Amino acid sequence: MGHSFEGYRRSNGRVGVRNHVAVIPTSVAASSVASAVADEAGAWARATPHQLGTSQPDPARRQTERVLVGTGRNPNVGAALVVELGTEDIDAETVADDIAATGKATETLTIRESGGTANALSEGADRLDRLKAEADRARREDADVSELVFGVECGGSDATSGIAANPAVGAACDRLVEAGGTASFSETPEFIGAEHILADRCVSEETRERILERVEAREGMAELMGVDLRGAQPTPGNQEGGLTTIEEKSLGAISKGGTTPIRGIVDYGDELPTNGGLVLMDTPGYDVESVVGKVAGGAQVVAFTTGRGSTTGNPLAPVIKVTGNPKTWDRMSNNIDVNAGTVFDGESIDSVGARIFETLVEVANGRRTEAEHRRLEEFAINEIQPEELTVEVDG
Amino acid sequence: MSTPSASGRTFEGTPRADGTVGVRDNVLVLPSVICSHFVAERIAERVDDAVATPHDHGCAQLGADNEQTRRTFLSMAQNPNVAGTVVVGLGCEEVQSAEVATALESRDVAVRELSIQGVGGTDECIERGVEAATELVQSRRTSQTVADLSDLTLGVVSSDLDASTVASADPLVGRVADEIVDAGGRVVAAGNERLVANPDGARDAATDEARDAMEALLDRHEGHPARATRVGQFARDRPFEEVTRAWGRNTVSEVLPYGERATLSSGLAAVDAPSRFGEATTALAAAGRTSSCTSLATESSPGTRSSRSSK
Amino acid sequence: MKGRVLDDALLRLSTSDNVGTTVDDLESGTEIDADGRTVVLAEDVPFGHKVALEPVDSGGEVRKYGEVIGTATQAIEVGEWVHTHNCESTRGRGDRAAARGESA
């Protein structure tokens, strides 16, 4: 089997596996219009509605803006329309310019300047048509798997996640890294109890210290709130599935990144390198926000393991669902792409990893995942909470 | 020019078992977690008079955050504009759909519950959800009742402090708020930045009964930056009276945590919600017992998905 | 799969583990040959859950993946189901800090 695929090469050198026109609202106030414009246009237009962006404290606003820009810069995006109401702290022009720096076509739409939502919808439709014409100039061309940034995620975990699905996805990550690509996993709360293993695998002291510091910060949130992390981790579904403690969940979770050295850790939504090996991202444990962070970082394809059966996708990056639980596969195969539960019948982790890697290449070549078929496109941006922000005395 | 008087005005609404009156008669499709958000939307799209309230929460929140999410769900489903609720979960989340449904049942809310994992996937969940929502729509009481302004709860949020808002829109809405209270109705107001920026004004505006709760709200935000940053900044430079004009002239006789239902029989309640429109209207719909009105800058009013149930 | 499946019933992920993971729903009384030692299930244990392969003292370490996943909150006998009722995390315990008055 080849290690190449056909993708959309962008001016900045990154390669997309889809050629969507993104419709990106700068705030919740423009989200409904963004969704309506995209829905009206057709499946080639993908909206990323979210709840943030109207007015946020500075660090939180910067994070929102970084994710919006990263979303538009993702190579699966052929062109982007940035929509604002016109009263937001985040400026659509700035976001559009930062996206356009990758060489792709962008336009903006300001609802207030259009004179209300009805006019905005028709102006938005015109702009999307122009953007589609630009995006359509891209053709699939030869690309190498080493140009892939593969985000991996786990959600709705149970005991099979750490035994079957995660190690199998990890084996696929190992193959990709060996071929020269980038794999990335995240969800820092799910490093708790396994951070010493991650620390031992870091290529540099700097990365090692950074990981330990991020884990401490996430664990400190429980302390800050005066609560027991067990109130949220593991979740009721995790526990029903046999996971007793966060340590157990984490030890299973980290295996989805494979076994190669850890080359770095980036902030939420920050750009992930190409040809980067295994790189972590510091994200919360919320699945959707975590996937969105990695897609904003440039991941073209995401693998998402689930024991209990999570069904979430993403508007811009295909999400490959993998379960290691044979019962979940039987019950929910409509929502799941790869059955890793076969390890309980004797298939080796490496063999399942090979199947996942092949699925990755096929999906990169255009094969649609179950979440794409069903247009399951959950999108949410993590908001830095007031407790995490330093006290502003008079700012 | 004569000003029409509010007293004696009536409207036709839908009577609820608890004695409240709805100004809409919708079935709520409530995802208990972000992961079931699309399924909830697809269900609502296929059933007339069904509305979904997608949101980002419910997965693995900690402590007070988790409590707030749960509380908001329960209160939203008890809004008199809601004829019944279909709770849709994924299955593994912190805020369990079955638990929410049980809590609602014990409060006499017509409720159906299903989870994606429980029924075996999104396709099946949408089909069954459509059936459940259709059932709830069909079992609505058809009778209407004549109600007066004492049956109304008006939600008020002013999402900015721009000059035209403070000069025109806020006082107009404040006038309506006063009329409603004069007629025996309730007003619930969001915009905690305005209170936090003017703690002395906030204390003075609270009745004796509400003073402890007001103090607790001020404590809770002590040292934290305002969610609606600009509102917080502007509010510091202006008198309390000026930044709360949309609330009317009444004293604050109840202070509600985010997502809590109002208990006052008449008068003004302040809700611990930011001035950010989506979050504010969600809290107002949860607090309030009927309609939600908004005061906004200049001409345009962004509708948000999370506030659909309040419209 | 990493580790070894004992008697087609329990997966021991590392030789230093004192718990095994069930690879099927198992009933109370099921006898499992764990490397020459017989483990008899003291109760029904669902698929994916843990069973003690060795006795654990109250406060003792529970080990899976060759790592500590928590501590026993009571003494655990061989063959008992190990879960939240008798094993707890030692991490992210803001409740303990709050009890000590250290919380913000």
Side-chain angles (χ1 to χ4, degrees):
Chain A
M1 299 301 283
H3 281 182
S4 61
F5 69 100
E6 301 214 320
Y8 301 93
R9 193 170 298 283
R10 310 298 177 196
S11 317
N12 67 344
R14 295 218 173 199
V15 178
V17 303
R18 296 292 182 269
N19 196 33
H20 299 307
V21 176
V23 185
I24 302 172
T26 61
S27 80
V28 62
S31 284
S32 288
V33 167
S35 293
V37 171
D39 286 350
E40 196 62 33
W44 50 269
R46 296 294 169 95
T48 59
H50 61 91
Q51 300 285 324
L52 309 181
T54 48
S55 181
Q56 295 181 269
D58 277 346
R61 178 189 50 73
R62 282 195 297 271
Q63 176 161 299
T64 302
E65 190 163 357
R66 183 166 76 233
V67 172
L68 296 175
V69 168
T71 298
R73 291 170 68 102
N74 184 293
N76 292 350
V77 173
L81 175 65
V82 183
V83 186
E84 64 180 358
L85 174 64
T87 59
E88 292 93 339
D89 289 347
I90 295 176
D91 175 41
E93 284 293 341
T94 311
V95 172
D97 286 349
D98 287 350
I99 294 170
T102 59
K104 64 186 77 169
T106 61
E107 297 213 30
T108 61
L109 175 67
T110 304
I111 298 166
R112 276 163 56 109
E113 281 173 12
S114 301
T117 54
N119 290 341
L121 291 179
S122 72
E123 285 181 24
D126 293 343
R127 283 168 212 193
L128 271 190
D129 282 342
R130 290 202 295 268
L131 289 167
K132 181 170 193 308
E134 287 294 323
D136 281 349
R137 293 163 59 183
R139 291 281 176 275
R140 283 198 184 262
E141 52 188 278
D142 285 340
D144 191 81
V145 288
S146 63
E147 297 176 271
L148 287 176
V149 177
F150 186 32
V152 298
E153 180 76 22
C154 59
S157 296
D158 67 12
T160 67
S161 301
I163 294 168
N166 288 342
V169 166
C173 288
D174 285 349
R175 281 168 191 260
L176 180 65
V177 168
E178 195 186 331
T182 302
S184 178
F185 72 99
S186 57
E187 302 184 278
T188 315
E190 290 157 34
F191 301 168
I192 295 174
E195 67 269 48
H196 56 292
I197 300 174
L198 297 175
D200 283 349
R201 283 171 50 195
C202 290
V203 295
S204 73
E205 183 59 24
E206 191 193 339
T207 301
R208 199 184 87 86
E209 275 172 19
R210 213 145 160 240
I211 287 175
L212 294 174
E213 181 193 302
R214 296 309 171 96
V215 171
E216 198 177 328
R218 297 277 173 183
E219 191 172 8
M221 276 308 291
E223 203 133 307
L224 204 55
M225 296 179 72
V227 295
D228 180 351
L229 188 71
R230 288 180 303 173
Q233 293 278 14
T235 67
N238 296 155
Q239 292 186 21
E240 211 178 312
L243 296 176
T244 305
T245 65
I246 183 64
E247 295 93 315
E248 182 182 14
K249 183 174 174 178
S250 297
L251 289 162
I254 63 165
S255 62
K256 66 183 177 286
T259 57
T260 61
I262 294 166
R263 305 205 168 270
I265 177 168
V266 302
D267 283 337
Y268 181 75
D270 255 353
E271 190 168 86
L272 292 159
T274 47
N275 312 120
L278 180 61
V279 180
L280 310 190
M281 182 180 280
D282 178 26
T283 75
Y286 307 125
D287 299 335
V288 175
E289 294 174 10
S290 174
V291 167
V292 163
K294 284 173 289 198
V295 173
Q300 303 104 318
V301 185
V302 173
F304 190 126
T305 67
T306 182
R308 310 290 293 174
S310 156
T311 55
T312 56
N314 181 271
L316 301 170
V319 175
I320 300 167
K321 291 279 177 171
V322 181
T323 189
N325 186 325
K327 292 177 187 172
T328 300
W329 172 255
D330 285 346
R331 286 172 57 75
M332 298 181 65
S333 56
N334 279 345
N335 291 112
I336 293 169
D337 300 282
V338 179
N339 178 15
T342 49
V343 301
F344 292 100
D345 302 324
E347 186 177 2
S348 72
I349 292 287
D350 196 52
S351 165
V352 182
R355 286 199 283 123
I356 294 167
F357 186 75
E358 288 312 321
T359 306
L360 164 64
V361 175
E362 283 169 20
V363 167
N365 265 319
R367 180 183 135 190
R368 289 200 294 163
T369 65
E370 296 295 347
E372 281 183 296
H373 277 300
R374 288 171 179 73
R375 298 288 311 266
L376 297 169
E377 299 173 0
E378 287 77 3
F379 187 91
I381 300 170
N382 178 247
E383 178 166 34
I384 301 175
Q385 296 302 302
E387 287 79 6
E388 299 172 71
L389 298 170
T390 45
V391 178
E392 280 181 307
V393 180
D394 212 17
Chain B
M1 194 175 69
S2 70
T3 313
S5 161
S7 60
R9 299 293 292 269
T10 60
F11 65 97
E12 291 234 323
T14 308
R16 302 294 175 204
D18 63 358
T20 60
V21 179
V23 299
R24 293 291 183 274
D25 200 15
N26 292 323
V27 165
L28 173 64
V29 185
L30 175 67
S32 65
V33 65
I34 182 173
C35 309
S36 50
H37 141 175
F38 271 85
V39 167
E41 282 195 321
R42 302 274 157 82
I43 293 168
E45 277 164 13
R46 283 177 46 187
V47 181
D48 285 343
D49 294 337
V51 291
T53 50
H55 57 84
D56 291 353
H57 309 294
C59 173
Q61 292 177 290
L62 276 174
D65 290 342
N66 189 47
E67 265 313 300
Q68 177 167 304
T69 298
R70 189 171 177 279
R71 181 167 75 227
T72 306
F73 291 165
L74 296 181
S75 298
M76 291 279 276
Q78 292 177 85
N79 183 299
N81 291 348
V82 175
T85 297
V86 182
V87 187
V88 184
L90 174 62
C92 49
E93 61 272 17
E94 201 61 47
V95 182
Q96 290 272 294
S97 48
E99 208 180 279
V100 171
T102 307
L104 286 174
E105 250 165 20
S106 73
R107 290 161 171 80
D108 286 329
V109 175
V111 65
R112 301 282 187 282
E113 183 270 336
L114 59 168
S115 74
I116 295 171
Q117 289 166 5
V119 303
T122 54
D123 298 351
E124 184 67 21
C125 195
I126 292 169
E127 293 309 317
R128 294 211 204 169
V130 167
E131 282 169 27
T134 306
E135 252 173 60
L136 287 174
V137 166
Q138 286 167 351
S139 61
R140 287 181 300 184
R141 298 205 290 183
T142 49
S143 65
Q144 291 269 293
T145 190
V146 175
D148 61 34
L149 297 185
S150 70
D151 294 310
L152 268 186
T153 303
L154 174 73
V156 173
V157 55
S158 175
S159 67
D160 65 47
L161 284 170
D162 291 354
S164 68
T165 309
V166 174
S168 314
D170 282 352
L172 287 170
V173 171
R175 176 75 183 277
V176 174
D178 287 338
E179 295 273 7
I180 300 264
V181 171
D182 288 348
R186 287 157 304 279
V187 171
V188 289
N192 51 24
E193 305 86 357
R194 295 151 206 261
L195 301 168
V196 175
N198 296 280
D200 292 337
R203 284 186 195 100
D204 289 347
T207 60
D208 289 346
E209 295 75 43
R211 194 146 297 139
D212 287 351
M214 180 67 84
E215 210 57 64
L217 180 150
L218 296 171
D219 271 358
R220 196 172 92 79
H221 293 280
E222 173 86 43
H224 294 318
R227 303 283 275 210
T229 320
R230 274 176 302 172
V231 171
Q233 280 162 359
F234 284 144
R236 274 207 297 265
D237 305 330
R238 291 179 172 165
F240 181 74
E241 177 278 323
E242 195 178 314
V243 298
T244 53
R245 277 183 186 162
W247 302 11
R249 289 185 306 266
N250 285 285
T251 50
V252 175
S253 44
E254 188 173 18
V255 177
L256 295 165
Y258 190 101
E260 195 77 68
R261 302 186 80 203
T263 61
L264 80 178
S265 59
S266 139
L268 170 67
V271 180
D272 189 2
S275 297
R276 301 199 305 200
F277 186 82
E279 287 149 86
T281 50
T282 298
L284 294 175
R289 295 198 292 192
T290 336
S291 71
S292 169
C293 167
T294 63
S295 156
L296 287 149
T298 58
E299 77 281 15
S300 80
S301 153
T304 76
R305 304 188 305 166
S306 54
S307 65
R308 261 187 208 155
S309 69
S310 67
K311 300 293 182 64
Chain C
M1 207 152 34
K2 277 211 176 104
R4 239 156 32 81
V5 180
L6 309 171
D7 206 6
D8 285 336
L10 280 181
L11 171 67
R12 188 179 210 163
L13 286 155
S14 163
T15 50
S16 67
D17 291 358
N18 55 11
V19 295
T21 302
T22 59
V23 297
D24 206 344
D25 292 329
L26 298 181
E27 282 178 13
S28 175
T30 303
E31 293 187 7
I32 298 154
D33 175 8
D35 293 331
R37 178 175 185 175
T38 303
V39 173
V40 183
L41 295 196
E43 54 215 304
D44 291 353
V45 182
F47 171 60
H49 285 245
K50 294 175 292 299
V51 172
L53 297 171
E54 289 163 18
V56 187
D57 291 337
S58 180
E61 292 176 346
V62 175
R63 300 180 67 87
K64 179 180 170 185
Y65 296 105
E67 300 284 336
V68 177
I69 62 162
T71 54
T73 53
Q74 61 193 63
I76 303 173
E77 300 297 325
V78 173
E80 273 187 56
W81 176 39
V82 179
H83 202 29
T84 48
H85 61 288
N86 56 13
C87 173
E88 69 171 13
S89 171
T90 59
R91 303 291 301 272
R93 297 298 297 270
D95 56 331
R96 290 181 177 166
R100 293 194 301 267
E102 292 171 8
S103 178

